[in-house]
Amino acid sequence: MSIKSRKQWLFVVVLVFVVLLTGCTRGGGNSADEPKPEPEPQVAVTEQEDEQPKSGEEQQAPEEEQTIDMQGKPVRVISWGYAGGEKGTEAGEQRIALEQELEKKYNTKFQFEQIPWGDIQDKITASIVAGEPIADVFLLERYRAFPAMVQKDFLQPIDGILDINNEKWPAEMRMTGSFDGKVYGFSTAVGGGGGIYYNKAILKKEGLPDPQELHEKGEWNWDTFLDIAKKSTKDTNGDGKIDQYGLALTSVNFVPAFIASNDGDVTKVVDGKLAFTGDDENAMEALRFYSDLSNVHKVVKPNQTDNWEDYINAFNEGIVAMRYGEGWEGGGIQTNLGNDYGFIFIPKGPKATAYHNAMQPTLWFVPKGANPDAVRIYAEYLLSYMPKEGELDAWTESLFADQKSLDNYMEMGKIMKPKDWEGIPNFGQEIRKVWDNIGAGKETPETGMKSVRPVLEGLLDAAQ
C-alpha cells in the first residue's frame, strides 16, 4: 500500500478525530457526552476500511478498461473534508495532476463539495427523495447508511457498477461495504482498528507476562487478560487504598468489543432487517465477564469524574495497566508514557476461535440516480493511489512504540464486526444505560437485558 493512499486515509482519520473532539454524535443514538468509537478506523476512511458480502452477482470489467465520455458532465463528490488534491504539498499536487489527467481522458470535471459531517446524510437523502441526487459518490459512516438508507432504497449497489473482485480492491471491502448480500460501500485500503493498550512498565514491575508474548503463544484470551488485571490491581504505597488498577474502561466501546471477541453481536441481519441478538449466549457471557471485572474482581478503576475521558487520563497517568483504545490514540499515549506501552488484539473469548472486534467504518456510497460512469471514474481516481504493499506513512508509524504493535493495528482492520445498530435512533442510548448499570452492579446481566429487550426490539421495529 502506497504512502499516497495512506495519507488520504490519514487525512480522513484526522477529520474524524476532529469530529470526535467537537462532540458531533448524531444519527447513531450516541449521547452527547459519549465519544464516537473509531471509525475507524474505524474507521475510517476516505479510502479505507473493509468488507465483503455474500453476493454472487457477476461484476463488470475493470473500471480503467471502460470507454467513457462524460460529455462535460461532472464527477460530483461530497465529503465533510476536502476529497481532492490541494496545492502546497507533493501529494496534493500529484492528486491535482491526476484529476486533470482524468478530466481530459473522460471529458469531465471533478466537483468536490464539503458538507458538515452532521448534515451529509440529511442533504443527500433529501436530494434522492426529490429525484435529483446532489452527488455521484458521498462519504458516510456505515452505521448511518445501514440499514436505513438501504431499506428505503436510497442507495445503488456497486456490484453492477464496479468490478469489486478486481484485486486492486481490498478483499475486506466486500464485507465491510455489504448489507444483506449486496455491496453498497467501497474504499481502497484496509484501515486499522481498536485493541488493548497496555502499560509495559506496570507489567514488568509486577512480574506479569507481556500480552504480545501471550498472543504469539496462542494464549491471549479472557483468562490471561483477567489474570493480568487482577495481579496489577493493588495498593502500592501501603495506605490501605487501591491506587493501581488493572483496567480502566467505558461501556461505549468496551462492551461491544468484548461481545464481538466472544463471537457475538448486538444485532444481526435477518431477512434484510436488523434483529436483536445482544442477549444471546455469547453476548451474555461477555456481559457477565464485564460485570465481574468491576463487581467481583474489582479490577476496574472507578470513574472519578463521570466523564468518558477519565479512563483515558488514568491510563496516561500510569496508574492503569490496560484499557481499550483506537489506533489513533497512540500518539497521546506516547506523549505521556514514552515508548513503554504496547497495543494488542482484544483477547479471545471462550466461544471464539479467532480475534474479533466491533467497528464503525466510513465508506464511499452511491445514491440512487447517480451517474454510474462518474462512479467508475472516481473509483479509478481512488485506485490510482492504492498503497504499495507494506508501505506506511511516518505519522501512522509514529503512533506505536514498536513494530509488533503497528502490525497488530493493521491486522485489526480485517477482523471487525460492524455496529449497524448505532444507526437506529435511541438504540445506543438505551442499551448503554443497561450496560452502565451492569458495570456499576445495579443490575445483573440477566435482569438488565430482560428488561431492555422489548424496548430495543421496539426501536428496531420502528426504524425498519
Side-chain angles (χ1 to χ4, degrees):
M1 295 178 62
S2 83
I3 293 176
K4 299 170 189 171
S5 190
R6 288 286 176 197
K7 285 182 178 177
Q8 297 171 357
W9 172 80
L10 265 186
F11 170 69
V12 179
V13 169
V14 171
L15 286 174
V16 174
F17 178 48
V18 171
V19 170
L20 293 175
L21 291 179
T22 56
C24 295
T25 53
R26 24 176 300 198
N30 297 331
S31 63
D33 59 348
E34 290 175 336
K36 277 176 57 210
E38 174 245 320
E40 267 212 18
Q42 11 275 63
V43 95
V45 278
T46 307
E47 18 252 51
Q48 106 184 26
E49 306 277 294
D50 12 355
E51 308 231 327
Q52 179 170 10
K54 6 171 193 181
S55 171
E57 299 178 17
E58 292 298 320
Q59 312 303 328
Q60 294 199 6
E63 298 79 48
E64 63 273 18
E65 296 179 4
Q66 300 185 32
T67 301
I68 297 173
D69 182 354
M70 292 287 286
Q71 299 181 347
K73 296 177 183 178
V75 175
R76 301 167 301 162
V77 182
I78 284 179
S79 62
W80 54 80
Y82 188 71
E86 296 185 273
K87 296 180 180 180
T89 66
E90 180 181 356
E93 297 291 351
Q94 289 173 341
R95 291 191 66 168
I96 290 172
L98 176 60
E99 290 160 20
Q100 294 171 343
E101 176 186 336
L102 294 179
E103 288 173 345
K104 181 177 180 181
K105 178 180 178 181
Y106 294 119
N107 189 16
T108 188
K109 193 77 176 175
F110 284 97
Q111 289 183 359
F112 297 106
E113 181 181 357
Q114 290 178 254
I115 293 179
W117 173 85
D119 296 337
I120 288 181
Q121 185 176 17
D122 290 343
K123 290 193 174 183
I124 288 287
T125 297
S127 72
I128 296 171
V129 171
E132 298 180 356
I134 57 176
D136 297 300
V137 293
F138 65 96
L139 193 66
L140 200 67
E141 294 94 331
R142 175 188 163 111
Y143 76 89
R144 298 172 72 194
F146 302 156
M149 296 189 76
V150 172
Q151 292 171 347
K152 294 176 182 177
D153 199 28
F154 288 163
L155 302 178
Q156 287 191 57
I158 62 168
D159 309 52
I161 300 176
L162 306 178
D163 177 13
I164 60 173
N165 290 323
N166 187 327
E167 62 181 8
K168 290 185 177 182
W169 297 111
E172 293 81 9
M173 181 196 81
R174 297 193 297 275
M175 184 261 294
T176 304
S178 72
F179 186 85
D180 197 31
K182 293 184 178 180
V183 187
Y184 294 90
F186 63 99
S187 56
T188 59
V190 177
I196 298 295
Y197 281 102
Y198 59 96
N199 186 314
K200 290 184 177 181
I202 289 179
L203 302 192
K204 183 176 181 181
K205 179 183 67 173
E206 304 299 341
L208 298 171
D210 189 302
Q212 178 66 38
E213 296 174 2
L214 293 172
H215 158 60
E216 292 172 1
K217 293 190 294 184
E219 298 175 0
W220 182 232
N221 52 48
W222 286 5
D223 289 337
T224 52
F225 173 83
L226 175 59
D227 186 62
I228 291 174
K230 290 168 69 173
K231 290 178 178 176
S232 55
T233 300
K234 58 173 51 181
D235 170 14
T236 63
N237 59 13
D239 66 356
K241 298 179 181 179
I242 301 297
D243 51 29
Q244 177 179 285
Y245 290 88
L247 186 62
L249 59 81
T250 177
S251 70
V252 64
N253 48 31
F254 186 91
V255 174
F258 271 73
I259 289 176
S261 77
N262 201 35
D263 204 15
D265 212 337
V266 175
T267 59
K268 67 177 180 180
V269 180
V270 178
D271 297 330
K273 294 184 178 182
L274 296 185
F276 181 64
T277 57
D279 59 357
D280 69 6
E281 182 181 354
N282 291 17
M284 290 302 293
E285 189 170 23
L287 287 172
R288 293 185 197 104
F289 183 68
Y290 161 67
S291 176
D292 287 348
L293 289 171
S294 291
N295 303 307
V296 176
H297 307 299
K298 302 187 185 303
V299 298
V300 179
K301 180 188 177 298
N303 190 313
Q304 302 297 323
T305 64
D306 290 326
N307 188 308
W308 68 272
E309 290 183 336
D310 184 83
Y311 84 109
I312 296 174
N313 295 334
F315 185 82
N316 288 345
E317 291 167 6
I319 61 172
V320 170
M322 298 180 290
R323 79 164 177 91
Y324 177 93
E326 306 295 339
W328 53 264
E329 297 182 77
I333 292 173
Q334 192 170 109
T335 298
N336 290 276
L337 300 183
N339 289 332
D340 241 357
Y341 67 98
F343 188 64
I344 192 67
F345 300 91
I346 303 297
K348 293 178 188 175
K351 299 292 193 304
T353 58
Y355 293 115
H356 296 290
N357 195 355
M359 66 170 179
Q360 287 182 339
T362 302
L363 302 160
W364 292 105
F365 293 97
V366 179
K368 205 78 172 179
N371 185 336
D373 283 338
V375 178
R376 296 182 183 109
I377 293 171
Y378 189 64
E380 181 177 344
Y381 177 63
L382 298 185
L383 288 172
S384 297
Y385 284 92
M386 273 292 282
K388 294 178 182 177
E389 192 62 35
E391 277 192 0
L392 288 173
D393 61 277
W395 186 86
T396 302
E397 291 179 335
S398 73
L399 297 174
F400 303 97
D402 56 78
Q403 183 64 42
K404 289 181 178 178
S405 292
L406 175 60
D407 293 342
N408 292 339
Y409 170 69
M410 298 311 300
E411 284 299 309
M412 287 171 191
K414 304 176 183 179
I415 60 171
M416 302 293 186
K417 293 187 176 185
K419 297 192 288 186
D420 292 339
W421 50 271
E422 288 279 10
I424 302 298
N426 300 316
F427 187 101
Q429 292 177 353
E430 293 299 326
I431 198 168
R432 285 172 189 144
K433 288 178 186 176
V434 176
W435 289 344
D436 286 341
N437 285 341
I438 291 171
K442 297 177 181 179
E443 292 183 278
T444 67
E446 289 74 17
T447 58
M449 298 312 295
K450 182 178 180 180
S451 67
V452 79
R453 182 183 177 93
V455 175
L456 299 177
E457 288 184 326
L459 291 172
L460 288 171
D461 289 343
Q464 300 183 95

